[in-house]
Amino acid sequence: MLIQVDPSALGHTKWHEYAVRFLFGGLITAIAGIIAKKFGPGVGGLFLAFPAIFPASATLIEKHEKEKKESERLGGTERARKAVSVDAAGAAMGSIGLFVFALVVWQLVPSHAAWMVLTAATIAWLTISVSLWLIRKRT
Amino acid sequence: MGQILIRFLIGGVVVSAFAIVGDLLKPKSFAGLFGAAPSVALATLSLTVATEDAHYVATEARSMMTGAIAFFVYACFVSWAMIRYKPNVLFVTICAIPLWFTVAFGLWLVWLR
């Protein structure tokens, strides 16, 4: 299956579902800052890769898959579980990219401009994640 | 307090933006990549560089590597458990969070402390 952009998917998400993700994202960012201040950057840094919104996103996928399949009069529960499993497998590949993101920042930030390092690290995350996805798709 | 509020707002916006990109994409396995986007890291580190030195940011990033390994283990477990045991999605994604804590702090204690 080709990579596609589906704008209609946004219509399936309700405002409170966006609010939940905003809330969890904001909370974990604030908490990571507080932990870093209290216990030092060594502990605070761990939370930069915390799966803060994963449960909310997975629940959302389950709900949308169930609604879609039930409207087609098909059993949605099994399909929804598979969709969450596939999404989690994608997140596992993304987390390897996340490791490379952190590695790039760790190695380059002492000697380069921070904005350049964060841009390079984000590009590295995307490149590694997409490459792993393409490799897995072909095998 | 003001600093915490700014972190909350910027974190919320960046995390939501990556989540929306993930929503827009198909297939699901590809969209899943955005479930592990560096959204919290970008929000946090871009604020941290304004107030702390490069050594502080580098230390945070070094610890983040163990957090990312823990995320990998967490995501693999969720993916496997969803097929193997067919549990409730919220139940398994929440109950697996201690796995992230164990791996992240375990690796940090052994490797980085």
Side-chain angles (χ1 to χ4, degrees), chain A:
Chain A
M1 188 179 185
L2 290 171
I3 298 162
Q4 292 174 314
V5 178
D6 177 20
S8 71
L10 293 181
H12 302 147
T13 308
K14 296 187 173 65
W15 72 268
H16 69 268
E17 292 165 340
Y18 287 117
V20 166
R21 294 194 287 194
F22 180 90
L23 182 73
F24 280 112
L27 275 177
I28 193 61
T29 308
I31 289 168
I34 293 166
I35 290 171
K37 280 273 174 237
K38 198 164 174 61
F39 300 103
V43 178
L46 294 172
F47 290 87
L48 303 189
F50 183 73
I53 65 158
F54 194 88
S57 298
T59 312
L60 208 60
I61 290 166
E62 179 194 35
K63 184 174 158 273
H64 290 169
E65 281 296 320
K66 273 186 181 172
E67 283 172 358
K68 202 162 84 184
K69 292 298 152 191
E70 276 160 16
S71 70
E72 293 167 11
R73 295 174 187 266
L74 297 165
T77 308
E78 190 59 31
R79 173 87 182 185
R81 284 196 187 108
K82 279 185 183 156
V84 172
S85 176
V86 166
D87 184 74
M93 285 181 267
S95 65
I96 298 170
L98 204 58
F99 179 90
V100 176
F101 174 97
L103 182 70
V104 169
V105 175
W106 174 44
Q107 288 296 309
L108 299 184
V109 85
S111 55
H112 294 79
W115 69 269
M116 269 173 56
V117 174
L118 291 177
T119 305
T122 306
I123 292 167
W125 164 76
L126 192 61
T127 307
I128 295 293
S129 303
V130 173
S131 301
L132 286 170
W133 184 83
L134 288 170
I135 290 165
R136 190 168 186 260
K137 192 170 166 273
R138 281 177 192 165
T139 53

Side-chain angles (χ1 to χ4, degrees), chain A residues 1-7 9-10 13 18 21-23 25-30 33-34 36-37 41-43 45-51 53-55 58-59 61-62 65 78 81-82 84-96 98-99 101-103 105-106 109-110 114 118 122 125-126 129-130 133, chain B residues 4 7-9 11-13 15-16 18-20 23-38 40-46 49 52 54 56-69 71-72 74-76 78-80 82-83 86-87 89-90 93-94 97 100-101 104-105 108 111:
Chain A
M1 188 179 185
L2 290 171
I3 298 162
Q4 292 174 314
V5 178
D6 177 20
L10 293 181
T13 308
Y18 287 117
R21 294 194 287 194
F22 180 90
L23 182 73
L27 275 177
I28 193 61
T29 308
I34 293 166
K37 280 273 174 237
V43 178
L46 294 172
F47 290 87
L48 303 189
F50 183 73
I53 65 158
F54 194 88
T59 312
I61 290 166
E62 179 194 35
E65 281 296 320
E78 190 59 31
R81 284 196 187 108
K82 279 185 183 156
V84 172
S85 176
V86 166
D87 184 74
M93 285 181 267
S95 65
I96 298 170
L98 204 58
F99 179 90
F101 174 97
L103 182 70
V105 175
W106 174 44
V109 85
L118 291 177
T122 306
W125 164 76
L126 192 61
S129 303
V130 173
W133 184 83
Chain B
I4 294 169
R7 278 185 185 274
F8 176 81
L9 292 173
V13 168
V15 168
S16 299
F18 273 100
I20 288 169
D23 285 350
L24 285 168
L25 295 167
K26 277 181 174 178
K28 278 275 170 278
S29 60
F30 186 77
L33 297 177
F34 287 79
V40 174
L42 278 172
T44 301
L45 295 175
S46 56
V49 292
E52 306 289 347
Y56 188 100
V57 178
T59 306
E60 278 198 325
R62 194 176 68 139
S63 285
M64 185 188 161
M65 293 195 303
T66 62
I69 295 169
F71 197 138
F72 176 79
Y74 169 86
C76 287
V78 170
S79 180
W80 171 78
M82 287 312 301
I83 298 297
K86 306 184 191 318
V89 171
L90 191 61
T93 52
I94 296 285
I97 293 283
W100 181 89
F101 275 98
F105 280 90
W108 181 76
W111 184 27

